Amino acid sequence: GYQRPAGAVLTMRPFSIADGQITPNLKVRRANVEMAFAENLAELFDAIAREPGRPILFDRDDGTVMLLST
């Protein structure tokens, strides 16, 4: 159970080499992605801490969607 994801951040914005989120070999640069979505991830973790186990869907104006699972 501890390895099961509690939530996800989905975005309509593609990762790009120019933004530094992927390498030229198309590998994800995790640290850069975490920095780019730090605000979204903080909001996601806060929501998980407030209401653990409750399914929630956040649809934001910037095209990001955050899903909390049970």
Side-chain angles (χ1 to χ4, degrees):
Y2 69 93
Q3 291 182 336
R4 186 178 72 197
V9 175
L10 307 175
T11 181
M12 296 300 294
R13 185 177 49 180
F15 292 173
S16 72
I17 297 169
D19 290 340
Q21 295 170 341
I22 55 174
T23 68
N25 292 336
L26 303 180
K27 295 179 182 174
V28 177
R29 291 186 171 166
R30 295 175 192 266
N32 293 357
V33 171
E34 286 179 18
M35 285 181 7
F37 293 96
E39 184 179 316
N40 300 82
L41 292 169
E43 187 178 349
L44 177 68
F45 292 138
D46 288 343
I48 290 170
R50 278 193 315 270
E51 301 184 48
R54 180 173 176 239
I56 300 172
L57 172 69
F58 293 108
D59 193 359
R60 300 184 68 193
D61 293 337
D62 64 358
T64 15
V65 176
M66 291 180 283
L67 305 167
L68 303 179
S69 63
T70 57

